[in-house]
Each structure stands twice: as structure tokens, then as C-alpha cells.
Amino acid sequence: MYYVGVDIGGTGIKAGIVNAEGKVLLRSSIPTDRSFDPYVISDDIAAQIKDLFTKAGIKTEEVAGIGVGVPGAINSTTGVVDYNNNLHWSRFPLSKELSARTGLRVKISNDANVAALGEAKFGAGKDYHDSVMVTLGTGVGGGVIIDNKLFEGNEGKGTELGHMVIRVGGEQCSCGRKGCLEAYASATALIRDTRRAMEKNKDSAMWKYSPKLEDVNGLTAFECSKKGDKAAQKVVDDYIESLGEGLVNFINIFRPQAIMLGGGVCGQGDYLLKPLTKFVKDNTYGGDVIPPTEITIATLANNAGLIGAASLVMED
Amino acid sequence: MYYVGVDIGGTGIKAGIVNAEGKVLLRSSIPTDRSFDPYVISDDIAAQIKDLFTKAGIKTEEVAGIGVGVPGAINSTTGVVDYNNNLHWSRFPLSKELSARTGLRVKISNDANVAALGEAKFGAGKDYHDSVMVTLGTGVGGGVIIDNKLFEGNEGKGTELGHMVIRVGGEQCSCGRKGCLEAYASATALIRDTRRAMEKNKDSAMWKYSPKLEDVNGLTAFECSKKGDKAAQKVVDDYIESLGEGLVNFINIFRPQAIMLGGGVCGQGDYLLKPLTKFVKDNTYGGDVIPPTEITIATLANNAGLIGAASLVMED
């Protein structure tokens, strides 16, 4: 039996055919239609999946179902995307629409929850019963595993970990509040802060790495910091402080055995992980007497969402 | 059968005899020994309980056990107080010591968790399956009920809700970090901010309510705000903003059906609740499409800790 995983993002949509061992057999990626029209996007996804079936030589009868990870407030019971502030969707019955277009049963959940489920079942979390995953992408999402189960909050509407204010009155967040973790620890925030630092420091090496402000990406500050650029180092230090404060907050609440970090910024590996681990250790409530939390990088990388989404239709 | 509940605080220790319906039959209160010596305090508690038995005419054989709520990082499985930054206890085997002094079995848990359990079983939370309790006292503690069960975090070390940073680099917290919710929403913080406002506003009516800075208490700002004093109003507004930001963070994580507020500040009733509820409604992620969270005031008041502690020995 095969399982389809779909990972809907603000800029692209990934889909893949996954087997029972959590291995992605074939995958594809399409851009998210800029109209954000949910019916157009449903058409696109259905075509994307049919294309995968054709290329893999798989018949619909061999597929157990489609699992979808979507950003925002999702009702995983009714299959409705209740609210999404990146795609501007409101109360869209995604399960129903995708099912009508594919003839397959569809289960949906929050994208970050789904990535956490994937990592917990088949990735970095498979040895832990309590873990938290934090995804550092366009936004910041989170997923929580308690006693080996995905914790989604009441009505599946919880664990919006990116929308925890860490600086009251701080940077504007896409959710309407100011000072959310997402507004400091997302790749979007990192790029914003890199650009600001460049504007303030005209002699920074960052201008060589990214000659125009529009060239700046999530690597600019990190790569220049490695080469000793002070302005870049400050951007990285501030980023790690904000992310670290957020992680310590999660640890003080859930006390997980592990925090798994996902998203592009994690490509930095130990250069991110070492100072972050030290910050977390120094600031966690309870010091040495509380159970340690390992900060790890998600091993499924960009596949976590796909594999986790496919996991949604593996359970029953 | 009777159950003993004990609530250990930084300034006083409450103990009570509770019946199976969660009613406190007899209670007493003693000051917490200022040496904070855990053995002296254990002696004090044992004497306090024996005194209650004598006054109530109850024999040890009629008592199922003693449940104790203690601030800090508690291992509820081993009965050890691993860490407490108010009492300065570290790895103290409270269950064992109290049991040796009373001949009764003893179960311990974090004081705020215990209060949440009491409210959830017998108080404001009894109609909800998902709730969060936040206690606004000397510190800020929290307890979380998920699917009718007390969620304590891995190894019983979680839900340190007061130690969630809401203003990175902000006010010094007793835990070592800066900017924790506790450093803004505790009664201690309210008093600190009231004093600061008085020092800045020598013509404030707060000087009439509390002629000396050492007279200031948790009522000063609230009562003078009700009478139109602007400096007092600002203290109250800021307090509600900080508390509100913290509650919204919890809602975005747990999406509880209700948040129950406990502690002295809640004596303000609607004067606190109305603006707080509006703030929370305006700022919660997901707006109208997510399940509502009712903000309520704990009904067991100062008994929540006692009743919840006694509940620890009711279950099994």
C-alpha cells in the first residue's frame, strides 16, 4: 500500500508517494498559485498527485489515502482549514475538495504538527516519547508529541508555537500581534534583520555576499559571521537569543526529552546548534535537577512534512 | 475516609482535612519557618497535621493519606522536591520525611499543578475537559488539564507557566531569567510597579491609599484606579497587558476551553476580568474560527491548593 503526503506552503506545494516504512518513493514540487484561490490550488494539487501516480506507475486502488499539512488553524476532525493568515483562507473544506478531485480519502492537519508527527514516527524523534518540533521557515510552526502521541490542543487548534509573544510590543507578526517568536526566529525575520544590519553597516562583508538587499537570504548573516564579520555576528547572536528564549519557554512548559529543529536555517548545523544548546542549558528553569532536553536537528529535513502528512492516513 | 491536603508557600503553610466530595472540614495555617530548613518545616507540618487530627477528633486510621503542593520542580513519582528557588530547597525527599513523621503515605506535586487539579475536579474547571489554571501570587504558577487529566510535563517537571519570557531582557525574575510572566503578573510585580508609579507621581491618590511605600499592596493600584487616578490606571493597564499577553500565549499553545485565574489579585473580579477578556479575545491567534476560551476566576479561592493536594491521594 502507498500513502500520499502533501505539504502546502506559502510559496510552494510538495507532494510525495510514501511507503509504510516512511520512505518517500517519488516526489514533486509546484509553486503555490499567487492568487491563493483555494479551488485553484486544490486543482493544482490534484493534478500534481495524478502526475505522480502516472510517473510511478501506481493505480489509485493501491493508495490508502492522502494526508495534507496546511499552515494555520485546521480542524483535523472536519477536514476544514478554518483560518490561515499566509494563504488568506477561511473555512475552506480542503478534505472534501481534494477528495472530490482525486477519489481518495483525505486527512488534514496543521503543517507544523504534521512535520512533528513525521519526525516523531520516522525521524529525529523516534527514540523519544516526549518531544517538541519547531520549524523555522517562512513562519515558525510547532508540533508537540506527548507520550508518543501528537498533541494538537483542544479541537486540534493548539500548538501555534510561533505565535507566542517573547517581546511584548516588538516586531509586527503576520498574525496581528507584535513580538511573536515567529517575528524573530523565522527565516523571514532573519532576512529582515540581516537587511537592517547591512543598511546600518555599509562596510559589512555581507554586502559582498549579497550585493543588493534583495539578494539577502537566510545564509547571508550566518556565512559572513563565520568569516568574522561583526555586523553579521550580531545578527546571528540576536537570532540565537530570540530562538533560545522561545525554546526555553517551550521547555519550561513541556519539559520534552528533545526539541527537533526543522527548516532551512538548520542547514547551519553545529554553528547554530552549539550556541543555542548553551543558551538553553544556561536559561532553563530548574538547572541541573530537571531532565535534560536535547536540541537536535530534524533528520527528515524537507521530507518531514511529506512523511508526516502521509502518516496521517497510516494510522487507521 | 478523610484526606489531608497541605499547601506549602514561601510565607505560610496551609493544611486541611478534606472529605471525598472535596469539602474542607477543618483547616489551619502556620508561618513558613524563615530558616527555610526543610527538616524544620517537615517537623512543623507534621505537628500541624497532628493538631488538626486532635481538634477534629480523627484517628490516623481514618485518613487515606497526605497530599502536598510545593512550589518548584517536583518529582511527583519519587516524592522529591528537586529544586525550589523560593524556599532554597534542593533534592529534598519530602514524601519520605513527612511519611516518617506521620505514619501516613504522602504524595507531592507542584503547588500550581495541585491547585489546577483542585479547581478542575471540584471548582471552576469541573465542566471543562481542557483548562489552564494560572495562579497570581507571590509568584505566578500554572497547571494544565488535558482531556480531564493533570498534565505535568515529562517527569512531572513541566507547566512552569510563570517562567515563560514575554519581554526578553525585561524585569529580573526569581528564576534567573529576565522578562518572565512572573516578573510582570505576580502580586510581587504588581506591588513593585505600583511603588515605581508612586515614586514618579507624587500627586497620585495612591499616596493617600498607601501613605508609605512599604504600605503598598496588591490593592493599591486597583482601588485608586477605580477612583480615577491616572497613574494607578496606568499600573493596572500595564498589568492587564502583561497578564493578557501571557494568557494569549497559553491559549495559542493549549487552546483550552477555560483559563481559571487564582490568587489574591483575582479579588478584583470583573474589574480585572472584563478588560482582560477583551484583550485576550482581540489578540488570540485565529480570531473567530477557533474555539473560544472563557476566562474565569477560580471558585475554590484559597482552598484550591488544599483541595487539590488532598485530591492527590484520592485517585488510587
Side-chain angles (χ1 to χ4, degrees):
Chain A
M1 211 46 147
Y2 302 105
Y3 309 86
V4 175
V6 179
D7 185 5
I8 303 183
T11 51
I13 297 163
K14 288 172 269 181
I17 296 169
V18 178
N19 70 12
E21 287 73 44
K23 200 180 161 200
V24 180
L25 306 176
L26 188 68
R27 54 177 284 163
S28 70
S29 190
I30 58 170
T32 306
D33 190 88
R34 301 316 294 168
S35 72
F36 296 135
D37 182 321
Y39 295 95
V40 171
I41 289 175
S42 297
D43 288 342
D44 289 351
I45 295 170
Q48 184 183 16
I49 292 171
K50 279 176 192 167
D51 186 52
L52 281 174
F53 288 178
T54 306
K55 282 181 180 147
I58 286 173
K59 289 175 193 156
T60 304
E61 304 87 77
E62 298 173 274
V63 178
I66 301 169
V68 188
V70 196
I74 313 302
N75 190 321
S76 47
T77 311
T78 61
V80 172
V81 178
D82 284 336
Y83 176 79
N84 176 297
N85 66 313
N86 290 322
L87 300 167
H88 315 292
W89 289 3
S90 181
R91 292 199 175 81
F92 180 67
L94 180 62
S95 284
K96 189 180 136 223
E97 294 296 332
L98 267 189
S99 193
R101 283 163 175 76
T102 57
L104 285 162
R105 81 189 180 104
V106 177
K107 290 190 82 172
I108 70 175
S109 187
N110 176 274
D111 61 342
N113 287 355
V114 153
L117 180 63
E119 282 294 334
K121 257 181 101 83
F122 297 109
K126 68 180 198 287
D127 295 331
Y128 304 108
H129 53 74
D130 282 71
S131 60
V132 171
M133 176 147 175
V134 180
T135 307
L136 311 167
T138 307
V140 171
V144 177
I145 307 293
I146 298 172
D147 278 342
N148 289 315
K149 289 188 210 79
L150 179 62
F151 169 66
E152 294 187 286
N154 178 34
E155 290 195 21
K157 295 295 196 314
T159 68
E160 285 293 347
L161 302 186
H163 301 292
M164 170 181 68
V165 161
I166 58 165
R167 295 179 201 260
V168 168
E171 297 287 348
Q172 183 64 50
C173 183
S174 62
C175 77
R177 280 170 100 195
K178 286 181 176 178
C180 287
L181 179 61
E182 173 164 310
Y184 293 94
S186 62
T188 314
L190 174 62
I191 290 167
R192 175 203 64 212
D193 290 341
T194 303
R195 285 179 179 147
R196 283 186 190 161
M198 287 169 67
E199 285 179 319
K200 272 192 200 163
N201 298 275
K202 294 293 184 187
D203 57 345
S204 164
M206 292 189 282
W207 286 104
K208 283 191 190 109
Y209 190 91
S210 304
K212 291 179 208 156
L213 286 179
E214 55 264 42
D215 300 334
V216 170
N217 59 35
L219 297 172
T220 308
F222 274 98
E223 294 309 319
C224 296
S225 165
K226 287 172 193 169
K227 288 173 188 153
D229 185 71
K230 282 193 177 164
Q233 181 67 51
K234 176 81 166 60
V235 173
V236 169
D237 288 349
D238 289 349
Y239 180 83
I240 287 170
E241 182 194 36
S242 292
L243 176 58
E245 292 282 9
L247 298 191
V248 173
N249 283 356
F250 299 142
I251 291 172
N252 288 349
I253 291 172
F254 291 104
R255 209 63 86 186
Q257 297 166 292
I259 289 185
M260 306 167 286
L261 298 177
V265 183
C266 298
Q268 295 300 327
D270 277 353
Y271 194 76
L272 170 69
L273 221 50
K274 280 194 177 173
L276 188 62
T277 299
K278 181 177 170 8
F279 183 94
V280 166
K281 196 173 182 316
D282 289 348
N283 286 282
T284 297
Y285 180 85
D288 294 339
V289 296
I290 51 92
T293 301
E294 199 183 346
I295 316 286
T296 62
I297 288 176
T299 58
L300 303 182
N302 288 331
N303 280 332
L306 275 194
I307 295 170
S311 303
L312 290 174
V313 285
M314 284 184 194
E315 300 288 72
D316 45 348
Chain B
M1 210 46 145
Y2 301 104
Y3 310 86
V4 175
V6 179
D7 185 6
I8 304 183
T11 51
I13 296 164
K14 288 172 267 181
I17 297 168
V18 178
N19 70 12
E21 287 73 44
K23 200 180 161 198
V24 180
L25 305 176
L26 189 69
R27 54 176 285 163
S28 71
S29 190
I30 59 169
T32 306
D33 190 88
R34 300 317 293 168
S35 73
F36 296 135
D37 182 321
Y39 295 94
V40 172
I41 289 176
S42 297
D43 288 342
D44 289 351
I45 294 170
Q48 183 182 16
I49 291 170
K50 278 174 195 169
D51 186 52
L52 281 174
F53 288 177
T54 306
K55 282 182 180 146
I58 285 173
K59 290 173 193 158
T60 304
E61 306 85 78
E62 298 174 275
V63 178
I66 301 169
V68 189
V70 195
I74 313 301
N75 190 321
S76 48
T77 310
T78 61
V80 172
V81 178
D82 284 336
Y83 175 80
N84 177 297
N85 66 312
N86 290 322
L87 300 166
H88 314 292
W89 289 3
S90 180
R91 293 199 175 81
F92 180 67
L94 181 61
S95 283
K96 188 180 138 225
E97 294 296 332
L98 268 188
S99 193
R101 283 162 176 76
T102 59
L104 284 163
R105 81 187 179 106
V106 177
K107 289 190 82 173
I108 70 174
S109 186
N110 175 273
D111 60 343
N113 287 355
V114 153
L117 179 64
E119 282 294 333
K121 257 182 101 83
F122 297 109
K126 67 179 199 289
D127 296 330
Y128 304 107
H129 53 75
D130 282 72
S131 59
V132 171
M133 177 146 174
V134 180
T135 306
L136 311 166
T138 307
V140 171
V144 177
I145 307 292
I146 298 172
D147 279 342
N148 289 315
K149 289 188 211 80
L150 179 62
F151 169 67
E152 295 187 287
N154 178 34
E155 289 194 21
K157 295 295 196 315
T159 69
E160 285 293 347
L161 303 186
H163 301 292
M164 170 180 67
V165 160
I166 59 165
R167 296 179 202 260
V168 168
E171 297 287 347
Q172 183 63 51
C173 183
S174 62
C175 76
R177 278 171 102 194
K178 285 182 176 175
C180 287
L181 179 62
E182 173 164 309
Y184 293 93
S186 62
T188 314
L190 173 62
I191 290 167
R192 175 202 66 212
D193 289 341
T194 302
R195 286 177 178 149
R196 283 188 190 160
M198 287 169 67
E199 286 179 317
K200 271 193 200 162
N201 298 276
K202 294 292 184 190
D203 57 343
S204 164
M206 292 189 284
W207 286 105
K208 284 191 190 110
Y209 191 91
S210 304
K212 291 178 209 158
L213 285 180
E214 56 264 42
D215 300 334
V216 171
N217 59 34
L219 296 172
T220 309
F222 273 98
E223 294 310 318
C224 296
S225 165
K226 287 173 192 169
K227 286 172 190 155
D229 184 72
K230 283 193 176 164
Q233 181 67 50
K234 176 81 166 60
V235 173
V236 170
D237 288 348
D238 289 349
Y239 180 83
I240 287 170
E241 182 193 34
S242 292
L243 177 58
E245 293 281 8
L247 298 191
V248 173
N249 282 356
F250 299 143
I251 292 172
N252 288 349
I253 291 172
F254 292 104
R255 208 66 84 186
Q257 297 166 291
I259 288 184
M260 306 166 288
L261 298 176
V265 182
C266 299
Q268 294 300 327
D270 278 352
Y271 195 76
L272 169 70
L273 222 49
K274 281 194 177 173
L276 189 62
T277 299
K278 181 176 169 8
F279 183 93
V280 166
K281 195 173 184 314
D282 290 347
N283 287 281
T284 296
Y285 181 84
D288 294 339
V289 296
I290 51 93
T293 301
E294 199 183 346
I295 316 287
T296 62
I297 288 175
T299 58
L300 302 182
N302 287 332
N303 280 332
L306 275 194
I307 295 171
S311 302
L312 290 174
V313 286
M314 285 185 193
E315 300 287 73
D316 45 348

